[in-house]
Amino acid sequence: MIAFARLPHPAPTTADARAAVLANPGFGTNFTDHMVTIDWTEAAGWHNARIGPRGPIALDPAASVLHYAQEIFEGLKAYQQPDGGLALFRPEANAARFNASAARLAMPALPEETFVESIRLLVDADRDWVPAMDGASLYLRPFMIATEAFLGVRPAKAYSYIVIASPAGNYFKSGAPAVSIWVSDYTRAAPGGTGAAKCGGNYAASLVPQAEAIERGHDQVVFLDAAEHKWIEELGGMNLYFVFADGTLLTPALTGTILPGITRDSLLTLAREEGLTVQEGRYSIDQWRDDAASGKLVETFACGTAAVVTPVGKVTGRNGAFTVGTGGPGQLTQKLKARLVGIQRGEVADTHGWMTRI
Ligand SMILES: *Cc1c(COP(=O)(O)O)cnc(C)c1O
């Protein structure tokens, strides 16, 4: 495996300043002292791997990421464990998805063991930055950008892979009881597009729909399919699950327009262990409304690394609004969340080998 150089930090954050950040970490606004960088060129492949002080990066103004958005990213977390150690949740799954995204964006693959090692090194270097309070973690953000200075439209011939880390509190402040969502007229992903890749461009295109949801007084936006505008796909950055009174759990199938969430995949496994019938399939917005009204559908929740599991309480679209179940967090939603969070925090046995100790 590639060897990482260690660049000394001239002035790391003082213990007092760090403690002040960790007392109220928020999400995505505070960062640790270090970062990992690895460069790629056609001639040298991956080289110049290093971990050093976090700081601004120099880019040529013609760097292709700035013009054609050749960029991919990942998101995963390190959690405090009961014995005082630290652990990552399924980092090899993020490594595999990173390369699937890279392939779709015509970027070079990064060896999975190099991806995982880069995360381990950064968490180890910044281990004092992992908040211990309930629901808190160290959020890791690996990403890759095209750095070649060239304005033609073709895959770049130079890239940088970078990992930064950010202490995170609860994503939804005070673990909000249930979110209200707006059914967007915009679409997030089209068949044959980049919906299954974790690329920044998808998020750029979702900002207007998300802003519209907020303007209308909702928390999140839900996207329907691009072809028929009928089938439920996902939220801006989270996958969806529907819970039925007969003990069935349904999540939209991975058809190419849905991001294959690692939380989604983990919950498929945990739900089967709970004895639920789990289905991956299609579910229409009209059926959702009818089933919520008849009581056939009892819960809906969204899931993703940042917020883990978030109950959906209310759904509003052009054709009116409806409430899901009680409008608050459902029983199964809470049970599955507790199991998953328990595994991540080392309080529930990790029977699937999901946790990687640092
Ligand atoms: C990252 C992401 C998810 C959730 O994936 P996790 O691996 O569970 O964090 C869902 N949808 C989109 C669009 C995403 O970018």
Side-chain angles (χ1 to χ4, degrees):
M1 199 200 326
I2 196 165
F4 287 82
R6 287 167 188 273
L7 315 180
H9 199 305
T13 308
T14 63
D16 280 355
R18 189 174 58 234
V21 168
L22 294 184
N24 188 12
F27 186 87
T29 48
N30 294 294
F31 300 94
T32 64
D33 284 324
H34 295 91
M35 65 195 266
V36 164
T37 310
I38 316 177
D39 300 319
W40 186 94
T41 57
E42 252 186 353
W46 291 108
H47 65 284
N48 196 15
R50 61 225 188 251
I51 177 164
R54 181 187 180 281
I57 52 178
L59 278 180
D60 191 285
S64 33
V65 64
L66 302 175
H67 303 275
Y68 309 124
Q70 210 188 355
E71 188 268 358
I72 57 168
F73 67 96
E74 272 301 326
L76 68 161
K77 287 175 169 177
Y79 303 87
Q80 289 275 4
Q81 302 295 293
D83 66 1
L86 300 173
L88 296 164
F89 182 70
R90 304 187 68 183
E92 60 295 322
N94 294 93
R97 187 172 64 189
F98 193 65
N99 281 339
S101 299
R104 181 64 184 83
L105 274 285
M107 301 171 98
L110 179 72
E112 287 184 17
E113 65 271 19
T114 301
F115 178 100
V116 175
E117 180 65 9
S118 71
I119 307 284
R120 294 179 70 105
L121 282 174
L122 184 59
V123 174
D124 190 42
D126 287 329
R127 57 170 53 245
D128 294 339
W129 284 92
V130 188
M133 75 249 271
D134 212 31
S137 58
L138 184 66
Y139 183 81
L140 285 312
R141 170 52 62 89
F143 61 104
M144 195 199 314
I145 53 174
T147 56
E148 188 193 357
F150 176 66
L151 292 181
V153 180
R154 59 145 171 77
K157 293 180 178 176
Y159 298 89
S160 286
Y161 165 78
I162 302 174
V163 193
I164 54 174
S166 173
N170 256 332
Y171 189 72
F172 290 115
K173 286 169 215 96
S174 73
V179 293
S180 157
I181 62 180
W182 167 251
V183 185
S184 189
D185 295 326
Y186 291 96
T187 50
R188 191 192 80 89
T194 56
K198 216 167 170 68
C199 60
N202 288 344
Y203 277 79
S206 76
L207 298 177
V208 163
Q210 174 65 30
E212 188 185 64
I214 301 284
E215 230 165 69
R216 289 172 178 273
H218 305 284
D219 304 302
Q220 294 276 321
V221 61
V222 61
F223 292 105
L224 304 180
D225 77 289
E228 296 178 67
H229 209 67
K230 172 176 179 181
W231 308 105
I232 298 152
E233 298 217 311
E234 57 176 312
L235 300 194
M238 284 187 277
N239 297 112
L240 277 169
Y241 268 97
F242 305 94
V243 183
F244 298 91
D246 69 358
T248 309
L249 199 62
L250 174 68
T251 188
L254 302 178
T255 54
T257 52
I258 288 173
L259 199 289
I262 293 160
T263 317
R264 173 191 181 279
D265 182 71
S266 307
L267 290 169
L268 277 177
T269 299
L270 296 183
R272 286 201 183 100
E273 286 175 357
E274 294 289 333
L276 294 149
T277 306
V278 188
Q279 291 174 354
E280 296 176 78
R282 302 205 289 189
Y283 198 50
S284 73
I285 180 73
D286 293 335
Q287 197 69 48
W288 190 10
R289 181 189 304 110
D290 292 352
D291 290 349
S294 73
K296 195 177 160 201
L297 174 106
V298 288
E299 302 175 33
T300 302
F301 63 86
C303 63
T305 296
V308 196
V309 168
T310 303
V312 173
K314 200 171 174 203
V315 185
T316 308
R318 299 262 172 227
N319 305 325
F322 61 95
T323 299
V324 177
T326 60
Q331 268 182 8
L332 189 80
T333 300
Q334 288 174 291
K335 190 172 177 182
L336 287 173
K337 177 174 184 175
R339 282 253 353 245
L340 184 56
V341 169
I343 293 168
Q344 292 170 335
R345 306 202 70 81
E347 289 153 3
V348 170
D350 171 27
T351 55
H352 303 284
W354 283 343
M355 303 308 292
T356 294
R357 296 285 306 215
I358 302 289

